[in-house]
Amino acid sequence: LRSKRWKNRIKSHSSFVSWLCDGGWLLLLKNCFGTLTRVCRRKKLLQSRIVALGHPDALNKFPSNRICNQKYSIFTFIPKVLFEQFKFFLNLYFLVISFTQFIPPLRIGYLYTYWGPLCFVVLVTMLREMYDDFKRFVRDRDVNSQRYCKLTPKGKVTITSSSIQVSDVIVIEKNQRIPADMILLRTSEKNGSCFVRTDQLDGETDWKLRIATPSCQGLASDKELFDVSGSVYAEKPHKDIYSFIGRFSTVAANDEAQEEPLGIENTMWANTVLASGTAIGLVIYTGSETRSVLNTSNPRSKIGLVDLEINWLTKVLFLATVVLSVSLLALKGFAGPWYIYVIRYVILFSYIIPISLRVNLDMGKLVYSWVIQRDSSIPGTLVRSSTIPEELGRIEYLLSDKTGTLTRNEMVFKKLHLGSVSYTQETMTEVSTLLRQNFPPQVCADKETFSLPFNSSSKPPSGRRSTSDQLVECVKALALCHNVTPVVEKG
């Protein structure tokens, strides 16, 4: 039996070796490489979670809240920049021409006359890309280093934005950026409401109303948040910023569980700004799982129309040099190594394509970006990419989905038209006089003046109203039929 086993092993071993020699090693290498690629590219499955208030989950590992918008790293900078540059026909053409000078039959001039300009062009582009990526690094560092107040059972602690984790209880002040996706627990308002600005998330300039959870808003102090044994069930992260399904659970003193449904009105998404009051939120999503990051694509190299046009003109000039080279060779005669003569002619005519044009274009873009940021007529303008600043001068149409996107939502009252009567800026004194008669000012005990809604002695008759009555009703409707958000300024 032992001898049979050894024979079978020897046969299987010899068959395996023969399989490797017959090309099996290549198939094995492909399978290993494919498995490694699938493992590296495999995305983490997003799942729903239960977040305990103030108690991190030791079993599940959530992404860091550190923001990174950089396009390159130390290891990928040179390969990515070279790939982005030599995918253009202009740079690729001069690269091939420069390599031909290493072949003695094709050498025409000195190597530095071909490699020098090409290396200078690539160097200028690399410096520009390095400058843009360094600006992204500075912006990310400023955002990650912003300080926030964290509530703990032992008191308040100051942490940076990059150190925020899921289950942290963060205090957000007025006009402060919300660092992560949160559930609103408490506000400084008695009714538990606050307003957030979402213009950096969805482009809407109007304020959004947010409501705190009733069980947390009714607590006497912020310290009692850690005594209710609260937890939040949050659905798995997704891109939709207008929907959320969750549940807030608490355990009472008699061990009776209480649950409250959570919706979009109870959330505060990352990169929005608190517009009023002070809010306390529970972090449920951080980093790459926040709504803002899920709706953001990876940074890529932008290509302007000028670059595309120059690339197309370079192809046209290259075809012209090829046609010219073949024509000259036809006049001479196709004798001997004629293909070498054609290549030499193409190399000689390569000076028709100006490589210095690319250098001048890149330097002009840098200067243009610098001038835009320092233009006194448009203060606060930030150039995030110096690759396509010239595209601003080629805009032909501005498409807007509604009014207010391109304007400042500041309206000036210029004319009031009622039937056959029109009131303008010149006749506005008549309107003000009529309003004083129908809304007489009253004085209260603390000497502050105010107006009654309407003077009862000047009610219009039941029949047809006069022009003055219509004017009063119209102005009153303009004054009352809109939303007013009171904001209390400190001091």
Side-chain angles (χ1 to χ4, degrees):
L1 292 176
R2 290 183 178 179
S3 60
K4 289 182 179 180
R5 290 177 181 176
W6 278 108
K7 289 181 180 179
N8 292 332
R9 290 182 180 180
I10 292 173
K11 289 182 179 179
S12 61
H13 181 71
S14 60
S15 61
F16 178 73
V17 172
S18 61
W19 176 75
L20 287 179
C21 297
D22 292 339
W25 64 273
L26 183 60
L27 180 61
L28 183 63
L29 184 63
K30 288 181 179 180
N31 291 334
C32 293
F33 182 76
T35 304
L36 182 61
T37 304
R38 287 192 298 270
V39 170
C40 294
R41 291 184 177 181
R42 184 171 55 191
K43 294 183 179 180
K44 181 182 178 181
L45 296 178
L46 302 178
Q47 299 178 351
S48 59
R49 64 197 63 185
I50 296 179
V51 181
L53 198 150
H55 299 283
D57 191 353
L59 300 178
N60 297 322
K61 185 178 180 181
F62 300 108
S64 171
N65 200 46
R66 180 177 175 271
I67 295 177
C68 182
N69 294 318
Q70 293 177 250
K71 189 191 304 183
Y72 309 104
S73 64
I74 298 178
F75 303 102
T76 62
F77 176 74
I78 294 179
K80 281 189 175 182
V81 171
L82 292 179
F83 173 76
E84 293 294 335
Q85 289 305 306
F86 289 113
K87 73 179 183 180
F88 284 102
F89 182 79
L90 175 63
N91 293 342
L92 181 62
Y93 170 74
F94 281 103
L95 178 65
V96 174
I97 293 297
S98 300
F99 272 116
T100 59
Q101 298 306 297
F102 289 106
I103 303 175
L106 302 178
R107 182 177 299 175
I108 295 177
Y110 296 102
L111 290 178
Y112 67 85
T113 59
Y114 292 90
W115 284 98
L118 179 62
C119 293
F120 181 73
V121 170
V122 176
L123 179 62
V124 171
T125 306
M126 293 179 67
L127 291 177
R128 189 194 64 192
E129 291 291 334
M130 185 184 300
Y131 174 71
D132 289 341
D133 213 47
F134 178 74
K135 290 194 299 182
R136 298 188 194 100
F137 167 75
V138 172
R139 289 194 295 267
D140 293 343
R141 184 185 60 186
D142 295 339
V143 173
N144 292 325
S145 61
Q146 289 180 355
R147 313 291 294 184
Y148 291 89
C149 181
K150 173 184 174 182
L151 286 181
T152 62
K154 298 181 180 179
K156 295 183 178 181
V157 179
T158 303
I159 61 175
T160 59
S161 175
S162 58
S163 302
I164 293 177
Q165 300 178 356
V166 175
S167 76
D168 286 349
V169 181
I170 306 297
V171 180
I172 307 296
E173 301 292 339
K174 180 183 176 182
N175 294 328
Q176 195 173 23
R177 184 188 70 90
I178 298 174
D181 290 352
M182 299 182 179
I183 295 297
L184 182 59
L185 301 179
R186 289 170 58 86
T187 66
S188 57
E189 300 292 334
K190 293 182 180 180
N191 58 357
S193 64
C194 68
F195 290 89
V196 295
R197 297 197 303 266
T198 61
D199 53 337
Q200 296 297 324
L201 186 63
D202 57 2
E204 300 289 341
T205 56
D206 56 333
W207 294 2
K208 304 295 191 305
L209 176 64
R210 293 295 181 261
I211 302 174
T213 55
S215 58
C216 295
Q217 183 65 27
L219 298 176
S221 63
D222 298 338
K223 295 182 179 179
E224 296 184 7
L225 288 173
F226 302 97
D227 299 333
V228 298
S229 300
S231 62
V232 172
Y233 166 78
E235 61 178 346
K236 67 177 183 179
H238 55 81
K239 294 183 178 182
D240 191 0
I241 62 177
Y242 299 109
S243 67
F244 176 77
I245 299 175
R247 182 178 65 252
F248 185 76
S249 305
T250 57
V251 179
N254 55 358
D255 295 337
E256 182 180 355
Q258 298 179 357
E259 294 183 353
E260 301 175 8
L262 299 176
I264 188 62
E265 68 276 0
N266 305 116
T267 61
M268 296 188 300
W269 299 140
N271 288 334
T272 58
V273 179
L274 184 63
S276 64
T278 303
I280 299 177
L282 173 66
V283 178
I284 56 174
Y285 306 127
T286 56
S288 59
E289 295 180 348
T290 59
R291 293 291 199 273
S292 60
V293 176
L294 290 175
N295 286 277
T296 304
S297 58
N298 295 326
R300 58 184 179 85
S301 298
K302 299 179 177 61
I303 303 174
L305 293 178
V306 176
D307 294 324
L308 296 177
E309 291 171 355
I310 292 178
N311 198 51
W312 180 79
L313 292 175
T314 303
K315 296 178 181 179
V316 173
L317 292 177
F318 171 71
L319 293 177
T321 57
V322 173
V323 171
L324 184 59
S325 301
V326 175
S327 301
L328 291 177
L329 188 62
L331 295 176
K332 178 184 176 182
F334 292 93
W338 58 269
Y339 53 90
I340 296 180
Y341 297 145
V342 171
I343 298 176
R344 288 176 64 89
Y345 277 131
V346 171
I347 297 173
L348 286 172
F349 293 137
S350 64
Y351 292 99
I352 297 177
I353 304 175
I355 192 174
S356 60
L357 179 62
R358 189 64 187 271
V359 180
N360 296 335
L361 184 61
D362 290 341
M363 298 298 293
K365 289 181 178 181
L366 288 176
V367 175
Y368 192 25
S369 303
W370 183 83
V371 171
I372 290 176
Q373 292 187 133
R374 285 157 181 79
D375 193 346
S376 58
S377 58
I378 47 175
T381 304
L382 180 63
V383 179
R384 297 184 180 273
S385 177
S386 62
T387 308
I388 53 173
E390 76 283 353
E391 294 296 314
L392 292 174
R394 308 186 68 159
I395 295 177
E396 296 181 0
Y397 301 98
L398 289 176
L399 303 180
S400 174
D401 57 344
K402 64 184 183 314
T403 59
T405 303
L406 302 178
T407 60
R408 298 177 60 184
N409 283 334
E410 295 182 0
M411 295 180 288
V412 179
F413 186 74
K414 292 184 176 182
K415 182 184 291 186
L416 179 62
H417 191 83
L418 292 174
S420 59
V421 182
S422 178
Y423 297 92
T424 59
Q425 296 288 343
E426 290 77 11
T427 59
M428 203 59 66
T429 55
E430 301 178 10
V431 179
S432 60
T433 303
L434 188 60
L435 292 176
R436 290 192 185 96
Q437 294 176 1
N438 288 271
F439 298 94
Q442 303 292 327
V443 181
C444 58
D446 55 355
K447 303 300 181 181
E448 293 183 357
T449 61
F450 67 99
S451 297
L452 293 175
F454 190 73
N455 191 356
S456 59
S457 62
S458 61
K459 290 183 178 180
S462 58
R464 185 177 181 180
R465 295 183 179 182
S466 62
T467 304
S468 59
D469 295 333
Q470 294 178 4
L471 177 61
V472 172
E473 291 294 329
C474 180
V475 174
K476 186 171 69 172
L478 289 175
L480 297 179
C481 296
H482 61 80
N483 294 327
V484 176
T485 303
V487 177
V488 180
E489 299 288 346
K490 293 183 179 180

